[in-house]
Amino acid sequence: QVQLVESGGGLVQAGGSLRLSCAASGRTFSSYAMDWFRQAPGKERELVAAIRGSGGNIYYADSVKGRFTISRDNAKNSVYLQMNSLKPEDTAVYYCAARYYSNYEYDYWGQGTQVTVSS
């Protein structure tokens, strides 16, 4: 069983930065791909960034490419999302999700952290 706990959300002005963290319990963290999703009110959940267990095969949605950076520290069982040049349209609840490397579906989800970007 893996538990995911996000932190680092908050209110920031447009152009500002936030760093989200997702801490995972368990001893096999490096076996999981870790992804960040977001969901804005009235919109579908969107995959924002993804990173494999080894730290490679990084993916970014076009909407955040060049502004967001995903990283992980397997020694700390943590994955991060550095968000720079934030825009009001980045406002959403951000979730981290874990997928065992051989699975197609996500195994675990965090509770989410709210990010609000004011104009």
Side-chain angles (χ1 to χ4, degrees):
Q1 187 77 7
V2 174
Q3 290 186 324
L4 304 177
V5 179
E6 300 101 333
S7 61
L11 173 64
V12 64
Q13 288 189 335
S17 298
L18 284 173
R19 187 189 192 215
L20 304 184
S21 299
C22 174
S25 63
R27 293 178 288 181
T28 58
F29 180 70
S30 61
S31 298
Y32 289 85
M34 297 297 298
D35 298 352
W36 284 98
F37 287 82
R38 67 185 180 187
Q39 188 165 21
K43 294 189 176 182
E44 293 188 354
R45 187 172 58 197
E46 173 189 20
L47 175 62
V48 174
I51 188 168
R52 293 285 181 88
S54 62
N57 284 58
I58 289 176
Y59 163 86
Y60 296 104
D62 287 343
S63 56
V64 306
K65 204 171 291 184
R67 300 187 297 121
F68 289 13
T69 302
I70 189 171
S71 62
R72 65 189 295 159
D73 186 339
N74 288 341
K76 294 183 178 180
N77 279 15
S78 293
V79 62
Y80 309 99
L81 187 66
Q82 177 67 44
M83 305 186 295
N84 298 329
S85 303
L86 282 162
K87 305 175 181 179
E89 51 264 42
D90 294 319
T91 296
V93 178
Y94 284 71
Y95 301 90
C96 64
R99 176 174 56 82
Y100 193 67
Y101 75 95
S102 60
N103 291 346
Y104 290 100
E105 297 185 355
Y106 291 92
D107 299 284
Y108 305 102
W109 291 85
Q111 83 288 352
T113 185
Q114 176 71 46
V115 171
T116 303
V117 184
S118 62
S119 57

